[in-house]
Each structure stands twice: as C-alpha cells, then as structure tokens.
C-alpha cells in the first residue's frame, strides 16, 4: 500500500469528501490562502475556491456557532480550531449548543459538524500552545471524540466523522503530521467509531495509547520485547464512544495495564479508561492500573523542563517494568 | 395612522392581532397552569413584548428560520408554533415539541424553521448566522433571524457573530428586544450606550431603532431588513424598544423596577393599543375582534386539554436522541 | 452550635471577609440589587455599596478576566458565574489565563481570585441549567477546585479560598442552599484545602460523595445500617487538591468503594478518584470500584426523565448492596 | 514637523529614538540567535511596528501597567523590560524573566507593570480592564493599557472587555495595532470595516486613529488618552495604522502579501523616518545618533552574552510556581 503522512492522509480525506458531497466545506482561521498553519489544507483553496475553503476572522465562537447553524441547515461543515488550546474560546458553543442541540430538540436536529483541532506539544510552544485537550469535553454527552494515531486511521475516522450525523471533536496531534504510514486509496475506506485497534499483540501487559503515545508505546514495546516482555498495544482511536470490550478482553489476557497519553495526568483520558477497567475488569487485574501522562503543571517553554513534564517512551518502559519489580 | 393601516389586507391585520392575543393569552395561561401544577419548570414570559415578537416573525416566510431565547414563546408562536405542542412541552409530555426533553428554554420545530429557544444568553446568534451562511452557500433566498435581548448584546457571542455576518454579507436579521432589563439589572447599568442599534456600525451594516410596542412598525422594519437580506445586501440590526410587564421569571419579586416606569409603559401596552387602532380604523368592529379573541381562548383551552391528556415520556426515552448514530449503543 | 443554611453560611463567609479585608469584593450578574439569583448575596449591597457588590453586564469573559486583572493588582475578587453551565462562556480566561498566570510568570504572579459558581440540577431546569461541571477543569493545572457539601465546610472553605493566593473554582450545589447544619461563628474559622472529611465512620464499605451526594450517601448509609452494612462516608471537599491519603486509608479498612457525584458518569470527578485508587490502592480492594452519577445524556426537562438520569439515594444503596450480591 | 519636535526635550527625543532602535535591533538579533540555536521557540517579531510600541509605552508612567500579545517584544522593551532578561527568557534560561517557563509568548515583569505577553489573541484585554478596575477601586491614578492587533478586535474578549471598560469608565487605553493582517488573512477579510477605532462608539468612549509609524503622533495620542483616563473620564480606543515587515512568525512564507504593499510601507519605515526627522530638525547630528545606535548594539551584545551564559533551569523547577500554596504538595 502507498505511504502517506498523517497530514496528507487528513488532506486526502477532506478533499475526497468535498469532491463527493457538495455540502461539505472547510472553515477556519487561515485554512485558505495560508493552507492552514500546519499546512494540512495546502492547495485546497485552489481546487475548491474561497466559498468552500473559507478563511474566517479570529472568532472561535463564531466559527463553531456558524458551523452548528450551517450543519442544522443541511451543510456538513468541517471547522478548524487552530490549536486545541483555543477550544475553550468556543467552549460554550461546544458544550451547550453543539453537543446538546439534538437531544434538546427531542432527537430531531441533525448536527453533522466536524471540529478539527490540533493537540500536543510541538516543542517550546509553552503553556497556551501545547495542551492535549482530549478529555476536556469527555464529560459532555452529545459530542464524539476522536484521536487518531496512524495515517490510515486519521483518514478513515475523518471520513466517518464527516459522513456521520453527529458532532465530532477530531484531534490531530501536531507531532504526528509528518509521520508516515500505509493508507488505503479506496475513496470509500472509512474506519468505524467505537472500535479500538490492537496495534501490536502481546500477552504480558496491555499498553493503551492515545494519539502520539501509540507510536511511543510501540517503541516501548519493541524495547521491552528485548527483555522478553510481550506488550499488547491498543489504540482506542475514539474516546467517545469507547470500545470497552477490546480493552477488557486484552486485560483479561494480560492482567496488567498501562494507559498513556500526552494530556496532563489528572482527569485526562486515562482517568476514564482506568475507571472503566476498575469497574468492569478489576477481577482480571494483577496489579495497579498505571497511568503515564504529562505532569500536572502547565507546559513550560524551556525544552529541559518541557521534556521533564511530557511523557516519553522511557516512562512507558518504566511503567511496564514496574510490574516485575514489586 | 389610519393611512398606515390601509396598505394591509383585512386578513393580515386580523392575523397579526390574533397572534398578539395568542401570545399574550398563551403566556397568561401557561403561568396559570404552572401555578396549577401542570408545568414543572420555569417560565420567562414575554407579556408586554407581543408586538415585537409578532411583528418580526410576520415579516418572515415559512421557510425562513429563527433562533430564539429563554423568553421565546412569542417568537415561536409568531413563527407558527402550535400552542398544543408548546403547552405539552411545557407540561413535560412526550407529545411536546421536544418529547418533554427540552422544556420552555429549548423548544424547537425544524419544520417551521424554529431552530430553538436557548438557555444561554446570546447563544443563538452565532447559530442563526450559521444558518444564514448555509442559505448563502445554497444560493437560496431564505433568511435567518436571531432574537435576543438588550443583555445579550454584551456577550462575546453577539460580537463575533455580528462581525462574521457583516463580513460575509449574510442574509440574517439581528433582532434585539430592548426591554430595558437583563434579569434584575437595568440596561443602563449593562452597557454605556442606550441605543444598541448603534452597534451595527461596528459591523458595517445598518442598525435601526423601532417602537417595539407597535406591531406594524416592527413588521415594516423587519420586512425592509428581510428584503435587504434576500437581495444579498447583508444583515440588519433591528432594535425594538419595548418593556416586559412581568418578572424576569415567574416568581421574581421585581425589586429593581424604577418608580413610575411600569405605569408609563402600561399606557403603551401593545395588545390593547393595536386593538384600539383596529377599531379606530373602522375596519374591525368590537364583535369581530371578540370572535378572534374567543377563538384564541378556545385554541388555548384545547392546547391545555391536549397537554394535560398527553402521555408522559417513558423513562427509557431519556437515553435516545442524544446521537444520530450510537455505534451499537456504545456512546452512553 | 448555631445552625445556618448552606446559603447563609456562604453569605456569612463573604460578609466576614469583606469586613476583614477592604480588597475583597464581589462581582457578577445580579449579585447586587437582585441579591443573587439564588439569594446568596441578599442584603450585601446595602452593607457594602455598589463599589464592592458590583452588578456586571452579562459578559462572562469580562467578569472572569477582570477578576484576574484585579487580582493581579492587589485586590481579592470573588466573582460569581450564575450557573456552572455558563462557565464555558469564560472557558478561555479560566483555562489559559487564570490557571496559568502564575506559572507562566515564573511563579511571580499572585492570583487570589475566587470564582463562585453553582452546580447541580434544581429540577426541570433542563440541559443548559442543570450541569455539574466540577470535573471540567480538573485536567487544568493551576486552579483549585472546591465542592463543599455541608454549611460549615462551605463557610470555612470559602474563607480559605478568599484568603489564599491561588485561583479557586468554588462550586455551590443549588439543592444544598436550603440545607441546614451547625456552623462555627468564630470569624477566623477556616477549613483547609486537601483534607477530606470522614462524615460517617464505617468498616464495610467506603462511599465517597461529591457535593450534594454527600447528603445522599449519608441517607444511604442510614438505610444500609438497618441491613447491618456499616458504611464509611467520605467527603473530599476539595477535588484539587485531592486528599488521597484519607481515601486510601478508608479503602484499606473497608476494601470496597463506591464513588458518587451528580455529574455525568463519563469523565466526572469519580473517574479521577477511581483512577487514583486503582493506581495506588488496588491491593486493598476486594471488588470493583463502582461509580454512581448522572447517566451520560444531557439533563432532560421532564421530571420523570430527569429523575431517571440523576443519581439518587437508591442508586448508592444498590451500588453498595452489589458487593454482597456477587 | 520641526515645530512639533520643539516641544520635546533632547533627552526625551533621544530616549524615544534609542528605544525604537533597541526594539528593531532586539528583534533582528533574536531572529539571528534563533537561527543560531540559542532560542528554541517561535518568534513573532514586531519589525516595522517600533513606533507604535515605543510611542504608546512612552506615554505611560512606570507604575502604569500593560498587557501585551504574541508580538510583544516591542511593548515590553518600551515599558522598560530589560533586554538581558528577555533574551535569557527566549533562550529558555533560569535567569530569564519567567525562569524559562514562559518564553516569548508569556514574558512578564510585574515590577515594571508588564502583566504579560499573551498567546491567546485578545486574551490580555479583559485582564487590562481588570487591572484598571483595581486602580479605580484603589482611588489610584494608575492606568492600564492593553495592546492587541487588528485580528483581536473580532474576538468576544475584546467586546466584553471594552463594554465593561466603557460602562464603568475605567482608566484603560485599548491600543490596537492595525498592521493589516491577522496571521495570513488580511484585515479586510476579517472585519467589514477598515477603521477599527470606530468600534469605540459601541462602548461610549472615543476612538482615535493615529499614524502608527509616527512615534510622536502615537505618543501624543496615547498621552491624551492617558490624561483622560487619569482624570476619571474613562477609556479610549486608539488605532495605530502600521505594518509588519517580517512574517507572522519567523519562517512564514508570506504568500498572502498584496503586490506592492510591502514596498510602499517600506518607504514609511518608522525607524529611519524618525532618524531623518531628528537630523532634519538640527537637534541631533549623525555622530550623536551613531552613539545611541552603538549603545544599543553594545547592550544587545551584553544581553546575548548574558543569555548564552545563563544557567538552564533544573528539571525539578517545572514543579514549582504553579501555585502559591501547595497544601503539602498535594496539588500535583
Ligand atoms: C451566558 C448566560 N449568562 C447568564 C444567563 C442568566 N440569564 C438568563 S436570562 C438573563 C437576562 C437576559 O437579559 P436580556 O438579554 O435583556 O433578555 P430578557 O430577559 O430581557 O428578555 C440572564 C442574565 C444565561 N442564561 N446565559
Ligand atoms: C484565540 C486565538 N485564536 C487564534 C490564535 C492564533 N493566532 C496567533 S496570532 C494570530 C493573528 C493575530 O492577528 P492580530 O491580532 O492582527 O495581531 P498581529 O499578529 O497582526 O500582531 C492568530 C490567528 C491565537 N493565538 N489565539
Ligand atoms: Mg432585556
Ligand atoms: Mg494584525
């Protein structure tokens, strides 16, 4: 299969869906002329014109709110919030309008709105440009939360988001944009929500990775294999809905689990995953549920401090190794 | 005055008046039924603001859309909302507009272009702008109208939405009902300017002030704004000066009213004022109006009876309608 | 000790701190003439005047942002966001400014800002006026999160918040305002952050309650006592910082735990508490960590549906009883 | 022109010019040091906007405060920020203003009234308004000034903060640097009006346009606004028309520039323009200006040397400074 970067895979999904359905359009700050600050929509203005690749003012409330209104009137907007850190500028629209519109209407409103947003620390971007906000809206019923790690999943999940009837927060990790992987070129290739992916099989310990931590988990697994520890790596791919079954099945087999994400530890996505396992799979567990994530301090600018705060391969290795050091 | 009426058909004048009476009486009935226990939730009545609600919505086509507010019953009835489904929603029944899930703050009817009341001050404005964006992209002649209060113009949502609407010349009418209060705080302690229509200049489109208690003035003003919008000339901010006669919500002790203010506005009660105008014009007599009024009462009797007889939702219904697709029930 | 309602206890804390320190003031929508929509600041305008009991426009960004600026300039603002549901209108100021101001300045900025906000479903207030947002900002380092259940704690914790140097989100549960309890009248009575309260001792099972669920847990405990089940009820009082030690000690004794809050189950405060216990106390546990909370759907208007969605005493009883039904 | 200069002292004119050169050269040096690897993070330089940064801050007292933006180096240097601590911060050292934790986007110095650069567009405006509220409540004569760009005026934060400032007549200056772009999107595709000062009318206070490339014009305009503010007359919105000469950030390919635009603004480069004016006035000669310029270079050499020699933070420092009180270390 041909290889694409994560960024190219996302662009391909956008382009294919916009060719397929005239109701799909892209809107956000600098998505047009600039091609997106991360270059994801590069060239799309040329193909689709300024009507369907819309540069907006710096107005996150208006971007999300207008996306919602347009979605309810038959369009399928993909709106982009440049950094996940800015999501809270539109927090009310997301929490109180987008997520609840269908339910409050008695199930009648369709809200096919995809909110693309970046997450993660790109390096010395400091406290307001480095956050991983995947869990910030997990408590809110009504919005789905997607965090792909591999290019093929990025493409397939974005298509599912755009074709679906519900609002989706779609997290793209900045440090994954340049990562390559095989991506099917079938224009109807989609990846379903709520189905975790077993990225590597193993029997000794389960490592659940979110976003870029899937790649780090794979590296950790390779290192640990040398010590004879067979790690199973699972990527939930969608946090809402969450594929509990695959997680529980894995833990049943390995009886040990580490959950890793780049978000801060406290109340990050791992809190929910750990709680689910502690509620539904505790009998299979042979030790603590170990979380790996960023320390509970804002992301510092200094690379030394930043590396100290962010989780890395070695943290996963250490977390896994801890099971055999008790 | 008489001249002004002349341009309108008998049916149209009758329908305006009937709708104003419907709004007024719907509110009073809902308040009564809330006291009587039929309605469990809060009510923010629009008594006193019937002319602005009815005048504005009368200027819209059926396929145009509105976003509304916590004080939305008049807007919804104006846009054609059915009293029985509204009353059933207030009574938390499964025959209500939102199957009992939304209540007064969230009533919507997508078939009628009612995109929803809203519990968040200013929250509906960006949504209306988004609907207008869709209409523009669809090369449709439909327009969107956002209702909001004088308090809402101080929210960031108003500003961002108005700027986008102006920038893209979207077919949207921003309709501000300035009733001089946001909850218990007078408008002059919420913004440093009294004429909120002025804010339109910041967004490059016209702002117009209208007597919000004069249904025909509101109608004509919004009609002009709608024509502009349909012609691709972009948004208009309409500020309707009006007053609410009851508490912010039912039960509000209203300690904040300025002395004499209520009394002076009572003189300008929009419903009797329009009634008197119809009579004075000679085109309607007492008997004809009585018939209309009785029709409203009958409709409301039916609405209340419908609501009271309607079934309550089954508990399990709470779990449906959150998503369009549940991926095997996984999302709960 | 004299009895006060939760509402009176909060007012007393505000009044005492405003008398004590001229830098303390209250600002928010309708806190003045109206006395607060929940009546909490009733009468305070008369005592302190409109300079120190400030009615604001309906502008949550400005309320929180102005609170932050004033706090950095030596004031000790208490700002009120009328409903927790509206917190996200000021989401960016809370997450990116208030919580991070000190860290980003290298620890130099003092931010003595208290954000008072209500949580919980008061009954048929529907999806945008009934939420329990205690966990929405738990992932954000830099802001403390307080959720008192009892009048004395409400008073003592609010004083600690106002006198402290850090920003605090102070959650007042609407259904607790009218609840009475003993409150010390010592004007220097404070309750420390990070110290959980064992509200009832027991040896068979630990029930951790957040906010109003503390009272429901006590009712459940009384019912369960009749069946001979001795429940220990713990109120963490502050979610950030969280007193893990008291929780772990209790679980060590009881080996069974239920965590109850009114927030939605997914990624609510219990997710973090469960994750902490699954990481640090799993060896003491004799069964699953059971969460009790609102179902993951927006709060419905209809009382029938609402009661179905919200957790109640019977849910706690059932959760506890489940340990003996396996 | 010569007349205009006459009212200012030699020292003042020299200090303005020196500061403008300092800002320009600081930026160029920082860009160079970033390329050289001393500086790890992004830089949004203000090259071209020196007159507005320096003119505005020169009108403030030392105990006045500012909030700044992502493009903040000029504002901070204008307010007295020390180049060595700034450079050390950019170089991520523990001797930097924020101990290496903040970087370019978050530099602050509370002693100098620099409440912080800001990574959130519009994020600093409500904070400045809050500082002004404190000053008003403290019966102090201090004022606050918020810097922000043309893009920021479309954020809800601008609107809510401006409304509150106008309503309470707070001693704050809202200073908009309209450099015609917000990132890669021209101002005329972000807002439907070109003169953003006009928005002040929505908030009941004056809006003034000034040539942002003329340091004395900016100074005089802000000075007047500051006097108003100190006199209790409330806020002013100042819009400085200017242009940025480099990319939005270093590395930006700048595909969005309109043809000829850069060249025409280059003719109005504020630093050589002011230099020429000083020479033309006859009050400064080439030699005197050279001395100032060399002084700046020396200061920057020292700043870079200081930064390069400064220690990096210890890893454990990341865990301090999040809270003022940690309750026994519990909060992490
Ligand atoms: C974002 C938000 N802030 C505060 C409230 C609480 N609230 C509900 S209605 C209201 C007053 C609104 O005033 P206005 O916009 O003038 O409308 P009116 O009630 O006068 O019709 C307030 C403050 C809310 N619902 N949403
Ligand atoms: C809330 C928010 N949205 C978007 C961004 C990304 N961003 C950073 S600077 C910038 C452009 C700002 O334009 P303007 O206010 O005109 O300032 P300038 O860069 O021209 O100085 C954008 C969009 C951000 N930092 N914060
Ligand atoms: Mg009002
Ligand atoms: Mg700009």
């Amino acid at each position: 299969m041909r290889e694409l970067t994560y960024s190219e895979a996302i662009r391909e999904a956008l382009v294919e869906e916009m060719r397929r359905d005239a109701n799909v359009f892209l809107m956000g700050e600098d998505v047009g002329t600039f091609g997106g600050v991360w270059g994801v929509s590069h060239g799309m203005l040329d193909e689709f014109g300024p009507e369907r690749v819309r540069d907006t003012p710096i107005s996150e409330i208006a971007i999300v709110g207008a996306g919602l209104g347009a979605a309810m009137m038959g369009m399928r907007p993909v709106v982009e919030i440049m950094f996940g850190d800015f999501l809270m500028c539109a927090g009310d629209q997301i929490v109180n309008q987008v997520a609840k519109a269908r339910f409050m209407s008695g199930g009648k409103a369709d809200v096919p709105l995809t909110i693309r947003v970046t997450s993660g620390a790109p390096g010395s971007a400091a406290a307001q440009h480095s956050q991983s906000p995947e869990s910030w809206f997990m408590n809110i019923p009504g919005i789905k939360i997607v965090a792909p790690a591999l290019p093929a999943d990025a493409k397939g999940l974005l298509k599912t988001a755009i074709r679906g009837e519900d609002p989706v927060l779609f997290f793209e990790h900045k440090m994954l944009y340049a990562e390559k992987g095989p991506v099917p070129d079938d224009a109807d290739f989609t990846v379903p929500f709520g189905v975790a992916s077993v990225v590597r099989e193993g029997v000794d310990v389960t490592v659940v990775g979110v976003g870029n931590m899937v790649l780090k988990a794979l590296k950790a697994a390779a290192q640990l294999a040398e010590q004879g520890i067979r790690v199973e790596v699972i990527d939930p791919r969608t946090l809402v809905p969450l594929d509990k079954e695959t997680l529980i099945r894995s833990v049943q087999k390995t009886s040990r689990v580490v959950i890793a994400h780049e978000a801060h530890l406290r109340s990050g996505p791992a809190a929910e995953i750990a709680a689910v396992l502690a509620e539904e799979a505790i009998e299979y567990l042979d030790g603590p549920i170990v979380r790996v994530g960023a320390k509970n301090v804002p992301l510092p600018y200094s690379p030394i401090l930043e590396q100290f705060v962010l989780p890395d391969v070695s943290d996963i290795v250490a977390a896994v190794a801890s099971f055999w050091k008790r | 005055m008489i001249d002004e009426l002349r341009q309108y058909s008998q049916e149209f004048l009758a329908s305006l008046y009937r709708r104003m009476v419907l709004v007024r009486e719907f509110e009073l009935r809902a308040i009564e039924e809330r006291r009587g226990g039929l309605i469990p939730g809060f009510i923010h009545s629009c008594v006193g603001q019937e002319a602005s609600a009815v005048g504005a919505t009368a200027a819209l086509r059926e396929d145009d859309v509105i976003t509304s507010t916590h004080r939305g019953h008049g807007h919804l009835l104006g846009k054609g909302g059915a009293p029985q489904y509204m009353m059933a929603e207030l009574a938390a029944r499964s025959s209500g507009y939102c199957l009992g899930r939304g209540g007064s703050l969230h009533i919507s009817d997508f078939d009628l272009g009612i995109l929803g009341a809203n519990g968040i001050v200013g929250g509906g404005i960006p949504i209306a702008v988004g609907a207008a964006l869709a209409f523009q992209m669809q090369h449709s002649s439909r327009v969107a109208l956002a209702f909001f209060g004088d308090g809402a113009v101080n929210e960031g949502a108003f500003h961002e939405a108005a700027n986008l609407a102006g920038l893209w010349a979207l077919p949207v009418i921003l309709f501000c009902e300035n009733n001089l209060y946001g909850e218990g705080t007078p408008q002059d302690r919420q913004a440093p300017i009294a004429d909120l229509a002025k804010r339109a200049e910041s967004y490059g489109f016209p702002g117009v002030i209208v007597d919000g208690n004069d249904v025909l003035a509101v109608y004509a003003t919004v009609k002009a704004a709608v024509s502009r919008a349909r012609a691709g000339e972009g948004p208009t901010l309409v500020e309707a000066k009006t007053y609410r006669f009851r508490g912010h919500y039912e039960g509000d002790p209203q300690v904040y009213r300025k002395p004499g203010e209520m009394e002076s506005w009572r003189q300008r009660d929009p419903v009797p004022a329009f009634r008197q105008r119809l009579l004075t014009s000679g085109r309607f007599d007492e008997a004809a109006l009585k018939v209309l009024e009785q029709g409203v009462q009958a409709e409301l009797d039916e609405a209340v009876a419908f609501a009271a007889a309607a079934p309550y939702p089954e508990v399990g219904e709470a779990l449906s309608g959150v998503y369009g697709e549940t991926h095997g029930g996984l999302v709960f």
Side-chain angles (χ1 to χ4, degrees), chain A, chain B:
Chain A
M1 214 182 290
R2 85 224 151 100
E3 300 241 315
L4 294 183
T5 64
Y6 186 84
S7 175
E8 287 163 348
I10 292 168
R11 184 185 314 126
E12 194 168 88
L14 289 170
V15 166
E16 285 177 7
E17 292 309 298
M18 284 179 66
R19 286 184 192 150
R20 180 176 175 268
D21 182 347
N23 293 317
V24 179
F25 69 101
L26 179 65
M27 165 163 82
E29 293 159 17
D30 286 303
V31 297
T33 312
F34 209 96
V37 279
W38 303 100
V40 174
S41 47
H42 183 78
M44 288 181 60
L45 178 66
D46 292 338
E47 175 168 355
F48 298 103
E51 271 281 300
R52 293 183 69 201
V53 179
R54 303 184 85 95
D55 283 325
T56 65
I58 312 172
S59 308
E60 289 76 12
I61 303 174
I63 294 170
V64 173
L68 170 57
M72 295 200 301
M73 291 299 98
M75 305 301 287
R76 293 187 170 273
V78 179
V79 305
E80 179 179 310
I81 299 294
M82 199 186 278
F83 282 74
D85 310 69
F86 315 153
L87 274 175
M88 286 284 182
C89 290
D92 178 68
Q93 285 290 324
I94 297 171
V95 163
N96 284 321
Q97 312 296 345
V98 168
K100 296 179 172 54
R102 180 185 291 268
F103 184 81
M104 295 188 307
S105 72
K108 294 172 189 170
D110 281 335
V111 185
L113 170 65
T114 303
I115 304 175
R116 287 181 48 231
V117 61
T118 62
S119 71
S124 280
Q128 294 172 339
H129 285 73
S130 303
Q131 294 169 89
S132 289
E134 293 86 357
S135 71
W136 294 358
F137 299 94
M138 281 176 65
N139 186 239
I140 311 300
I143 188 154
K144 296 172 183 175
I145 298 179
V146 179
L150 304 179
D153 288 337
K155 181 175 176 187
L157 290 166
L158 184 52
K159 288 185 158 229
T160 301
I162 295 172
R163 295 184 188 184
E165 299 309 325
D166 294 311
V168 174
L169 267 174
F170 190 88
F171 286 96
E172 304 172 8
H173 196 287
K174 296 161 200 146
M175 295 304 272
L176 292 176
Y177 277 134
E179 295 288 336
K180 285 199 160 189
V183 179
D185 58 5
D186 170 10
D188 272 325
F189 163 73
T190 60
V191 173
F193 287 0
V195 181
S197 157
V198 181
V199 203
R200 176 184 175 124
E201 294 200 17
V203 292
D204 295 323
V205 56
T206 301
V207 176
V208 183
V210 176
N212 70 327
M213 293 307 275
V214 173
L215 300 201
K216 302 208 176 199
L218 287 171
K219 285 191 189 140
Q223 286 179 27
L224 287 158
E226 290 168 21
Q227 301 165 36
I229 300 177
R230 291 155 300 173
V231 175
E232 176 143 305
V233 179
I234 299 190
D235 175 1
R237 300 197 286 198
T238 62
L239 293 166
V240 179
L242 182 69
D243 178 1
K244 299 180 187 185
E245 220 178 285
T246 300
L247 295 174
I248 294 172
R249 214 180 310 120
S250 177
V251 163
Q252 221 165 343
K253 179 170 64 172
T254 62
S255 66
R256 297 179 192 93
V257 63
V258 170
I259 312 167
H261 52 56
E262 197 182 298
H264 298 296
L265 277 167
R266 187 177 49 237
S267 293
E272 175 61 21
I273 296 172
V276 164
L277 294 176
E279 191 153 6
E280 302 185 25
I282 203 164
E283 63 267 38
Y284 309 125
L285 287 172
D286 230 19
I289 300 177
V290 182
R291 290 186 285 172
V292 171
K295 295 187 173 58
N296 292 324
V297 305
L299 267 293
Y301 169 70
S302 150
I304 296 172
L305 300 181
E306 187 179 23
Q307 279 153 31
F308 173 71
V309 170
L310 289 174
D312 207 344
V313 178
S314 59
D315 298 298
I316 302 176
V317 170
V320 169
S322 73
F323 287 110
W324 284 272
K325 279 198 199 123
R326 276 159 213 280
Chain B
M1 250 212 211
I2 296 173
D3 269 340
E4 215 189 299
L5 254 67
R6 203 169 285 165
Q7 55 185 302
Y8 300 111
S9 74
Q10 199 78 355
E11 295 70 40
F12 180 69
L13 292 171
S15 80
L16 281 187
Y17 179 66
R18 190 185 191 285
R19 217 152 254 198
M20 284 175 72
V21 174
L22 179 64
V23 173
R24 167 73 49 102
E25 297 301 320
F26 181 92
E27 293 298 57
L28 297 177
R29 191 67 71 94
I31 291 162
E32 198 181 308
E33 296 301 338
R34 182 170 177 273
R35 282 207 201 97
L38 182 69
I39 296 175
F42 270 94
I43 291 177
H44 302 84
S45 93
C46 68
V47 172
Q49 305 181 201
E50 295 84 356
S52 80
V54 170
T57 47
L60 299 175
R61 286 197 320 231
E62 199 179 316
D63 67 343
D64 293 330
V65 303
I66 62 167
T67 60
S68 175
T69 68
H70 57 287
R71 200 175 305 292
H73 300 167
H75 313 147
L76 315 185
L77 290 166
K79 194 66 178 61
Q84 75 267 31
Y85 301 133
M86 285 176 59
M87 203 61 91
E89 185 62 31
L90 298 185
R93 309 298 168 119
S94 66
S95 326
Y97 263 125
C98 311
L99 287 59
R101 293 178 206 162
S104 171
L105 287 178
H106 306 296
I107 296 177
S108 59
D109 181 339
F110 285 77
D111 295 332
L112 293 173
I114 299 168
L115 307 193
N118 211 307
I120 300 295
V121 169
I125 312 175
I127 300 172
V129 166
L133 171 61
F135 301 155
Q136 188 186 65
M137 292 182 77
Q138 292 157 353
H139 307 289
S140 146
S141 64
R142 297 166 76 185
V143 307
L145 182 146
F147 283 104
F148 50 92
D150 49 293
V153 297
N154 305 316
E155 282 280 1
F158 163 79
H159 177 68
E160 295 192 16
N163 183 65
L164 197 73
L167 179 68
W168 291 347
L170 297 177
V172 63
I173 293 90
L174 303 182
F175 191 89
C176 176
E177 291 178 287
N178 183 348
N179 64 6
L180 298 184
Y181 288 90
E183 220 156 299
T185 305
Q187 192 275 324
D188 61 12
R189 292 206 290 118
Q190 300 220 28
I193 61 173
D195 289 338
L196 301 169
K198 199 172 173 46
R199 292 202 166 163
E201 293 171 25
S202 279
Y203 314 114
F205 53 78
V208 196
I209 294 173
V210 64
D211 176 353
N213 282 17
D214 177 345
V215 66
L216 290 176
V218 172
Y219 171 77
T221 304
V222 174
K223 192 85 192 163
V226 167
S227 302
R228 262 182 56 81
R230 287 206 215 287
E233 290 160 28
T236 306
L237 172 59
V238 177
E239 179 189 2
K241 306 271 193 188
T242 183
Y243 198 73
R244 89 172 131 72
F245 287 156
R246 301 192 61 94
H248 170 65
Y249 51 79
E250 289 306 309
D252 166 7
Q254 304 177 62
V255 291
Y256 47 80
R257 302 270 190 197
K258 293 176 187 167
E261 196 181 60
M262 176 71 88
E263 295 63 34
S264 98
W265 279 92
R266 282 265 181 224
Q267 308 296 315
R268 302 174 47 204
D269 186 334
V271 186
F274 191 50
R275 188 180 206 278
Q276 192 51 50
R277 217 159 139 190
L278 293 179
L279 291 176
T280 311
S281 75
R283 289 175 60 188
F284 291 84
D285 62 15
E286 187 66 40
L289 297 182
K290 276 267 158 63
V291 170
L292 289 181
E293 288 155 7
Q294 282 157 1
V296 166
Q297 292 303 346
E299 192 176 356
L300 289 172
D301 290 344
E302 269 176 52
V304 170
F306 174 85
Y312 285 105
E314 305 283 332
V315 289
E317 289 180 31
L319 301 183
S320 71
V322 183
Y323 302 94
E325 303 153 274
T326 62
H327 314 286
L330 272 182
V331 272
F332 299 108

